[in-house]
């Protein structure tokens, strides 16, 4: 992930949440990857190795201005000396990418948490990767792993133009890589439906990119087994529910809170001094996932699968509303 919102995935088992302890790191390098896209390298201030990370993992970064953002790691190794991420400047975002491009300097220190992996690369006979724009960041890490393991894979990577495509030279040398440039295709987008239709039925399909691409991918894979479909979102599918008008009960502490209009469950709990792990507040990162004991939530997140939402035994309290008068949380 490399924009101002956090990543999440549908179609896979959710991974453990990020470790609570923050790590102090220093910005070791900043270098360009494409137009308006920079690579940032971080090393621990104390010189120790960083936690190991698998392909698809991301870290939470607390920027010096107080913003917390999530970014996918570009490499995956055991006990790495550094983490690298790629960030595209998004003037219409929530400020994270603009700060990193305009203010972050080599030598600055900041704190990170993780890594967490909501988008893991599974062991499959064949893997098809589809990336759009800066959605290449977790996919790029997967490509390196698939090459190392000599597994069967194919990548379809789309960008507006060659100037906007990160890692173009590194990826172009691989034979199973198909590059699409909108401005060289008369403005036509990558044909997701055709890619999916031609995919071997034993494939696992991964997609990360802008929302129109993800919607096209979801439509094209609607009849595929959910276990074979992996999607990572950078933006919410729906706005957080703020209609209010229901009660939240905390089973462990026996406290009750009225969720007033204009507030989310998470906001009400934080205002009451009850801390719950959270980050994106948009239903994307999964950090605020909370076990649900009773009640019927109005799910608004892009993290849980449709099967998980139907089970109603967990809820993202940063964005969920309620269809019942009361929700009982395991808090």
């Amino acid at each position: 992930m490399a924009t101002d919102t956090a990543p999440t995935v549908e179609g896979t088992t959710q991974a453990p949440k990020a470790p609570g302890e923050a790590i102090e790191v220093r910005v070791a390098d900043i270098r360009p990857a494409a137009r308006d896209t920079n690579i940032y390298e971080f090393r621990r201030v104390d010189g120790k190795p960083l936690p190991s990370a698998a392909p698809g993992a991301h870290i939470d970064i607390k920027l010096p201005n107080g913003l917390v953002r999530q970014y996918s790691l570009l490499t995956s190794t055991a006990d790495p000396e550094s983490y690298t991420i790629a960030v595209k400047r998004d003037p219409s975002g929530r400020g994270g990418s603009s700060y990193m491009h305009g203010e972050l300097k080599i030598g600055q220190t900041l704190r990170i948490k993780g890594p967490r992996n909501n988008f893991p690369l599974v062991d499959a006979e064949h893997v098809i990767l589809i990336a759009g724009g800066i959605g290449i960041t977790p996919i790029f890490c997967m490509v390196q792993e698939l090459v190392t393991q000599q597994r069967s894979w194919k990548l379809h990577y789309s960008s507006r133009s060659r100037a906007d495509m990160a890692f173009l030279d590194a990826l172009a040398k691989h034979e199973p890589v198909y590059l699409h440039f909108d401005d060289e295709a008369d403005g036509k987008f990558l044909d997701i439906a055709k890619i999916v239709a031609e995919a071997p039925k034993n494939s696992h399909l991964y997609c990360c990119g802008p929302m129109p691409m993800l919607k096209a991918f979801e439509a094209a894979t609607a009849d595929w087994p959910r276990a074979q479909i992996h999607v990572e979102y950078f933006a919410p599918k729906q706005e957080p529910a703020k209609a209010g008008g229901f009660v939240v009960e905390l089973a462990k502490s026996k406290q009750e809170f009225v969720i007033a209009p204009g507030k989310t469950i998470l906001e009400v709990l934080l205002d009451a001094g009850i801390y719950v792990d959270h980050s994106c507040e948009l239903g994307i990162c999964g950090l605020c996932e909370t076990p649900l004991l009773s009640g019927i939530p109005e799910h608004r997140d892009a993290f849980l699968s449709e099967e998980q939402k139907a089970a109603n035994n967990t809820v993202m309290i940063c964005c969920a509303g309620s269809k019942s008068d009361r929700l009982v949380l395991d808090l």
Side-chain angles (χ1 to χ4, degrees), residues 27 54 57 69 93 96 150 184 186 197 208 222 233 241 249 260 289-290 319 330:
V27 182
R69 297 292 182 263
Q150 298 183 324
E184 297 179 21
D186 298 324
C208 187
Y233 299 90
E249 177 185 340
E289 182 177 359
T290 303
C319 62
D330 191 14

Side-chain angles (χ1 to χ4, degrees), residues 193-232:
K194 181 180 179 182
I195 294 170
V196 173
E198 295 176 351
K201 292 305 179 182
N202 66 343
S203 303
H204 273 245
L205 280 64
Y206 287 77
C207 187
C208 187
M211 189 58 73
M213 171 179 278
L214 299 182
K215 288 183 177 179
F217 180 76
E218 288 181 335
T221 58
D223 296 331
W224 279 65
R226 289 300 91 193
Q228 293 176 231
I229 304 303
H230 313 270
V231 188
E232 187 164 58

Side-chain angles (χ1 to χ4, degrees), residues 231-313:
V231 188
E232 187 164 58
Y233 299 90
F234 289 167
K237 289 183 175 181
Q238 303 179 73
E239 292 298 314
K242 291 191 175 184
F246 59 96
V247 173
V248 165
E249 177 185 340
L250 307 187
K252 293 178 180 178
S253 65
K254 306 301 182 183
Q255 293 174 283
E256 294 186 356
F257 299 91
V258 175
I259 309 302
K263 289 281 190 176
T264 64
I265 300 171
L266 177 63
E267 289 171 340
V268 170
L269 296 185
L270 293 176
D271 288 345
I274 299 172
Y275 182 79
V276 180
D277 278 345
H278 65 283
S279 182
C280 72
E281 299 187 47
L282 294 170
I284 299 173
C285 74
L287 197 56
C288 72
E289 182 177 359
T290 303
L292 177 68
L293 300 180
S294 68
I296 304 174
E298 179 189 353
H299 296 288
R300 292 286 188 98
D301 64 272
F303 187 86
L304 298 173
S305 68
E306 292 305 314
E307 292 79 6
Q308 289 171 315
K309 290 178 180 179
N312 282 335
N313 54 24

